[in-house]
Amino acid sequence: MAEQLTGLADDRALLGRTSTAERVSDILRSRIAEGYFPPGTRLSEDSIGGALGVSRNTLRESFRLLTHERLLVHELNRGVFVRVLTVEDVEDIYRTRSLVECAVVRGLGEPPYPLDGLAEAVEEGRRSAREGDWKGVGTANIHFHRELVALAGSERTDELMRSVFAELRLAFHVVDDPRRLHEPYIARNAELLETLRNGERETAARLLAVYLENSLERVVEVYLRRVGDDA
């Protein structure tokens, strides 16, 4: 927990003079998405409030917002915890991803498309793989899909998918072999990028649909093996 709190203290500057529960929840959501708080982690009001320099009431409101987003859960007389997903949660996350991401790609206008963010995420994944940082490869993969959604140019869609991707990170935390899960998608992300560079949005949408279906199968397989009936 000490490492996570040190990271949160670094985020304190992001709050500035206009500290609000929404901005605190943005920071915590990002930290969950980046993997700092694994599923089942108890979030201490005193420790996190102290690291961010916010009041107990502000922090409790941010916890309430993230509970509404299904990232946290409040357990009576025990406190607030990062949520542990069920298999049904994972399936619903991927159903949402497929609906939104494929629609974004199909809805692109005439090429060329602004693909710099996607290219940076692909290179981030390759760099993490060279360093043997497979958790980093997973983070790069989430960055890739976040940039893909951003091609829609819709703040509402970006906001919706921010919480979906944060939930996805919770699913990734149960993976016992992150290399096996994430490594194939380095090449598949590069393939999607190249297809979009060529302006072939319908082909890219078909590739993406199969990609997400394969990813769901892998994650559910791991989830059932690691979590079993409790999932």
Side-chain angles (χ1 to χ4, degrees), residues 30-49:
S30 295
R31 288 292 177 173
I32 291 171
E34 299 295 336
Y36 283 85
F37 297 111
T41 301
R42 182 180 179 276
L43 301 185
S44 165
E45 288 185 4
D46 291 339
S47 298
I48 294 177

Side-chain angles (χ1 to χ4, degrees), residues 28 32 47 58 88 101 125-126 132 153 171 189 195 200 203 211 229 231:
L28 293 179
I32 291 171
S47 298
T58 296
E88 288 76 14
E101 294 186 47
R126 289 170 171 164
N189 287 348
T195 304
E200 301 170 8
T203 300
Y211 171 128
D229 292 339

Side-chain angles (χ1 to χ4, degrees), residues 184-210:
Y185 298 100
I186 299 173
R188 294 180 83 162
N189 287 348
E191 182 184 19
L192 276 171
L193 172 62
E194 192 60 29
T195 304
L196 289 172
R197 276 178 173 158
N198 293 334
E200 301 170 8
R201 61 184 180 185
E202 285 298 330
T203 300
R206 289 194 296 272
L207 288 173
L208 180 59
V210 175

